[in-house]
Amino acid sequence: MNVELDRHWENQSAVNEFVLLGFREHPMLFFAAFLAIYLTVLLGNGLVVIVTTRDPALHTPMYFFLRSLSGLEVCYTSVTLPRMISSLATGDHSISLEACASQMFFLLFLGGAECFLLGAMSYDRYLAICLPLRYMTIMNQRMLIGLVSGCFILSLPMQLVQIGLIFSLPFCGPHEMDHFFCDIPPVLSLACADLYTNKLVVYMENVIFVLAPFVLILTSYVRITKTILHMPSVMGRRKAFSTCSSHVIVVSLFYGSAMLVYLRPKTTDSIKVDKLLSLLYTVAIPLCNPLIYTLRNKEVKAALKRLLSNK
């Protein structure tokens, strides 16, 4: 019995770091590309935060949520891209177990908060279009702060449980991951233990963080669509569709890629496919969000012009 325990702990401590293979071919090319993307994400989302904060015309619930989403995107990309850029520049692709656990926690924590935040934004659009007379009464400052704070508070305990379960597993085999950050599927593929409990928790979290907000969003937009179609004014319908279209695009991209990574059945090629799909929700969406919300929004463009003219 003691021999078995010794072997267990010996195996458990056999791997104390992982190697993220990521994009090791043409490192300088990827270094330049991801550095440019990261700076663009910071600039684009930072501008959205500044413009929606400084312009009084944008001090409305919709832009409060947009400001929160842009700030969250900055944090979200900062979890993965700086380390990846550093690895490409130095050639050091190793990451300790502790750093891997920290990276995964913040990625899941912020990702879960974003799922809830996108759901809260759909609820906001539902109130604005379907219950316009009660909108400002319901969506007051206290409600706004409560909804955004709740998105982060609800995400925290589940992710702590998830990380605790994953990194209590023994890692005694290969330590290389064909990925560019510590995500659940590639890390679990390196564990040498029964993964039934871990997989069960992963699916439970998918139901809570992905399916539940998605159902809320879908229900909200079904009711929004019905309300818009019954509007007598063509201009009113166009304006209502315009205010919702940007959010629908972001939701489709974010939830589509997340569902493909975490909900589809795993095969031998899943890790490679997951790596490509994860670029969509960790890099492409934070990069495109400012463009989606500003280029299609006359109020934000007008506010940006006012800010630049004042400068």
Side-chain angles (χ1 to χ4, degrees):
M1 184 68 179
N2 290 334
V3 174
E4 290 179 358
L5 285 173
D6 290 341
R7 287 177 179 174
H8 170 75
W9 288 109
E10 181 182 351
N11 286 338
Q12 192 170 25
S13 60
V15 174
N16 54 22
E17 68 176 20
F18 296 126
V19 176
L20 297 167
L21 299 179
F23 303 95
R24 300 179 77 170
E25 296 180 0
H26 312 293
M28 288 298 101
L29 177 62
F30 283 110
F31 167 79
F34 286 120
L35 179 60
I37 289 171
Y38 184 54
L39 293 176
T40 305
V41 168
L42 295 181
L43 177 63
N45 286 284
L47 268 177
V48 171
V49 172
I50 292 170
V51 169
T52 56
T53 300
R54 298 195 59 175
D55 196 301
L58 302 183
H59 290 178
T60 63
M62 183 175 77
Y63 294 108
F64 180 85
F65 284 115
L66 179 56
R67 181 163 60 249
S68 302
L69 180 64
S70 293
L72 190 151
E73 296 288 29
V74 169
C75 299
Y76 192 61
T77 52
S78 297
V79 175
T80 56
L81 281 182
R83 173 173 279 276
M84 182 167 61
I85 292 167
S86 174
S87 297
L88 290 167
T90 62
D92 181 11
H93 298 274
S94 62
I95 181 170
S96 66
L97 285 178
E98 294 79 8
C100 186
S102 298
Q103 186 184 63
M104 186 186 292
F105 167 72
F106 284 108
L107 192 75
L108 295 177
F109 169 59
L110 295 171
E114 182 164 352
C115 289
F116 288 139
L117 185 59
L118 290 172
M121 291 173 76
S122 72
Y123 177 64
D124 171 70
R125 291 298 82 207
Y126 161 74
L127 290 177
I129 294 172
C130 301
L131 301 172
L133 298 179
R134 298 176 56 195
Y135 176 60
M136 293 308 298
T137 304
I138 298 173
M139 201 58 72
N140 52 44
Q141 190 71 13
R142 183 177 180 181
M143 173 65 83
L144 289 173
I145 295 172
L147 283 173
V148 173
S149 301
C151 293
F152 291 91
I153 293 170
L154 289 173
S155 180
L156 181 62
M158 285 294 291
Q159 306 309 346
L160 288 173
V161 171
Q162 178 80 276
I163 295 301
L165 286 172
I166 291 175
F167 286 90
S168 64
L169 293 170
F171 296 98
C172 50
H175 65 293
E176 292 184 342
M177 286 188 284
D178 188 12
H179 217 283
F180 61 92
F181 65 87
C182 288
D183 201 3
I184 295 175
V187 171
L188 286 182
S189 69
L190 300 180
C192 46
D194 180 22
L195 302 178
Y196 175 78
T197 301
N198 297 88
K199 290 179 178 179
L200 184 62
V201 172
V202 168
Y203 279 108
M204 286 174 58
E205 288 209 352
N206 287 335
V207 170
I208 295 171
F209 291 100
V210 180
L211 289 181
F214 184 73
V215 170
L216 172 63
I217 293 169
L218 196 61
T219 304
S220 297
Y221 276 106
V222 167
R223 295 186 177 183
I224 287 170
T225 303
K226 289 181 179 179
T227 302
I228 291 175
L229 292 176
H230 284 89
M231 288 181 178
S233 168
V234 175
M235 290 301 296
R237 289 198 295 268
R238 286 180 180 176
K239 185 177 181 181
F241 273 122
S242 177
T243 59
C244 297
S245 58
S246 298
H247 184 248
V248 171
I249 293 170
V250 172
V251 166
S252 300
L253 292 172
F254 183 81
Y255 277 94
S257 56
M259 285 180 176
L260 285 173
V261 170
Y262 294 107
L263 293 180
R264 83 181 198 283
K266 299 302 178 184
T267 64
T268 54
D269 296 326
S270 290
I271 299 298
K272 293 182 179 179
V273 176
D274 289 349
K275 181 172 74 169
L276 296 176
L277 288 172
S278 62
L279 280 175
L280 188 59
Y281 64 84
T282 59
V283 177
I285 294 175
L287 177 65
C288 295
N289 267 0
L291 299 176
I292 293 171
Y293 280 107
T294 57
L295 293 180
R296 302 172 59 86
N297 192 309
K298 293 180 181 179
E299 292 176 329
V300 176
K301 286 190 288 186
L304 182 58
K305 288 179 182 178
R306 288 193 293 269
L307 179 65
L308 294 176
S309 64
N310 290 337
K311 291 296 181 182

